[in-house]
Amino acid sequence: MYTRILGTGGYLPQTVRTNADLEKMVDTSDEWIVERTGIRERRIAGPDDTAATMGAKAAAIAIKTAGLEPSQIGAVICATTSSKNAFPSSACEIAGILGISDVPAFDVAAACAGFSYAYAMAHSMILSSMCDNVLVVGADLMAEACDPSDRTTIILFGDGAGAVVLGKSDEQGTLAVKLSSDPSFAPLLKLPFPSRDGSDAGHSYLYMKGNDVFRHAVVVLSRLVTQTLEMGGISPSDLDFLVPHQANLRIIAATARRLGLDMSQVIVTLDRQGNTSSASVPLALDEGIRSGRIKRGDMLLLESFGGGFAWGSALVRY
Ligand code: UT7
């Protein structure tokens, strides 16, 4: 028994925040942002957008593309660290919006690596015969978690949601999944909950020691992609596409170089979407498929890295 990607979907809020908009907010420039990150614009959630509403929109498309009805979904997993409520989980809310009931539904919190974790959970649930089709959503609103006056973070993040339906299959789809973490780097990338005593006036913002995170991300991802290919018994030359977490174009390019891939074999969305945290990999996958670049039978390597530190990957024949 194997697991295979049956369908994908994505949702982006309408409001666009360009680098020119950011020049009016903080001391920065389009030139600096493009050169250091590759980002040109990102989408910002509207007042009615939540992780659950955005996730449900992406999920509805993924279920439709899979050729399934919501009633055929056997579990809902939502990777997010920006749920509106601690509970009900965004996964339960998504199930409610889509009319899915009487199935397991839960959120996974692994920051920007969340989608890899959720995908691995779905893969394991199917292989252990718990269910046949799992809806895996990555949805985050990280722009509002950034201090609007902090030029080191506000330029990076955008909002959005992506979704995948992973299903039981006779054909081999998922060849390997790998997850890991290292808590010793926790202080470099943090998003505390607002304090209960009001000492932070209700604001708690994302903190990142950018250049340290950058250095570790490059090293960890380089090791991760090599390990994942070894687990799947695949050599880099067998890969068709890298579908990376969209944090920084220079990190993505370093990972591609490590694999000997040309940038034409890398799905890049961050120029228009910024870093959408747990939504970035499923959004990139969906764009790659919808644009016709990724075709059935292609060998894909999905990877992500973020706060915790936590990281993960999936080697997938689409
Ligand atoms: O998704 C989760 C994982 N996250 C990541 O993987 C993100 C990893 N980090 C990064 O992508 C990069 O480190 C950043 C894009 C955040 C920063 O780029 P950098 O090349 O590492 O810059 P830096 O932090 O070393 O800062 C270089 C200079 C500093 O000025 P001085 O001290 O050299 O005078 C900063 O103050 O750039 C300055 N700077 C800015 N200048 C203009 C920092 N932010 C900005 C800005 N505009 N927005």
Side-chain angles (χ1 to χ4, degrees):
M1 197 208 295
Y2 300 105
T3 70
R4 192 167 152 257
I5 293 174
L6 304 182
T8 63
Y11 171 78
L12 291 166
Q14 277 186 346
T15 304
V16 176
R17 180 182 284 163
T18 63
N19 290 351
D21 295 329
L22 285 159
E23 284 175 353
K24 294 179 203 137
M25 294 167 66
V26 289
D27 180 16
T28 192
S29 66
D30 173 56
E31 192 189 2
W32 191 96
I33 300 172
V34 172
E35 191 184 305
R36 300 288 181 120
T37 71
I39 302 168
R40 293 178 187 275
E41 57 186 48
R42 57 303 276 145
R43 299 299 182 95
I44 304 299
D48 297 330
D49 288 318
T50 66
T53 60
M54 296 196 304
K57 286 176 180 148
I61 300 168
I63 294 170
K64 197 164 179 218
T65 351
L68 297 177
E69 294 297 325
S71 57
Q72 292 172 282
I73 296 297
V76 182
I77 310 177
C78 182
T80 183
T81 46
S82 50
S83 226
K84 189 170 177 207
N85 308 298
F87 46 86
S89 66
S90 287
C92 279
E93 287 192 64
I94 291 167
I97 294 167
L98 299 178
I100 300 170
S101 69
D102 201 18
V103 301
F106 60 97
D107 288 356
V108 165
C112 293
F115 181 79
S116 297
Y117 274 71
Y119 187 100
M121 294 307 104
H123 176 64
S124 307
M125 287 170 83
I126 295 168
L127 291 189
S128 62
S129 301
M130 214 187 266
C131 44
D132 289 351
N133 302 308
V134 183
L135 176 61
V136 189
V137 180
D140 266 313
L141 299 86
M142 277 299 140
E144 67 183 22
C146 298
D147 179 347
S149 64
D150 178 4
R151 68 177 182 175
T152 69
T153 53
I154 193 68
I155 57 152
L156 301 172
F157 290 91
D159 304 327
V164 160
V165 176
L166 195 67
K168 187 168 96 175
S169 171
D170 297 333
E171 290 167 49
Q172 192 172 33
T174 311
L175 280 79
V177 291
K178 169 114 186 106
L179 302 176
S180 196
S181 66
D182 186 340
S184 59
F185 296 109
L188 298 181
L189 185 46
K190 291 171 75 162
L191 176 52
F193 285 116
S195 71
R196 287 181 191 274
D197 63 8
S199 55
D200 57 6
H203 289 297
S204 79
Y205 289 122
L206 188 149
Y207 168 81
M208 178 163 69
K209 187 129 186 3
N211 43 18
D212 283 350
V213 175
F214 184 101
R215 279 191 293 113
H216 289 294
V218 170
V219 173
V220 166
L221 288 170
S222 163
R223 199 174 59 223
L224 175 68
V225 293
T226 313
Q227 288 169 335
T228 315
L229 292 187
E230 277 169 16
M231 284 170 69
I234 292 293
S235 75
S237 58
D238 295 324
L239 272 183
D240 292 299
F241 286 101
L242 175 68
V243 186
H245 173 48
Q246 311 281 320
N248 187 309
L249 191 56
R250 290 182 291 145
I251 298 176
I252 294 174
T255 311
R257 266 198 307 278
R258 174 84 175 110
L259 292 165
L261 296 181
D262 189 86
M263 282 307 281
S264 64
Q265 292 174 276
V266 183
I267 308 294
V268 175
T269 55
L270 94 174
D271 51 330
R272 288 150 290 127
Q273 297 175 10
N275 181 347
T276 55
S277 195
S278 65
S280 87
V281 171
L283 273 169
L285 178 63
D286 184 56
E287 181 174 301
I289 292 167
R290 242 157 253 287
S291 66
R293 288 173 69 194
I294 296 176
K295 298 188 176 57
R296 279 285 171 204
D298 281 351
M299 188 67 75
L300 316 177
L301 181 55
L302 283 49
E303 49 85 341
S304 55
F305 173 92
F309 290 159
W311 57 90
S313 59
L315 182 64
V316 171
R317 187 178 288 285
Y318 174 59

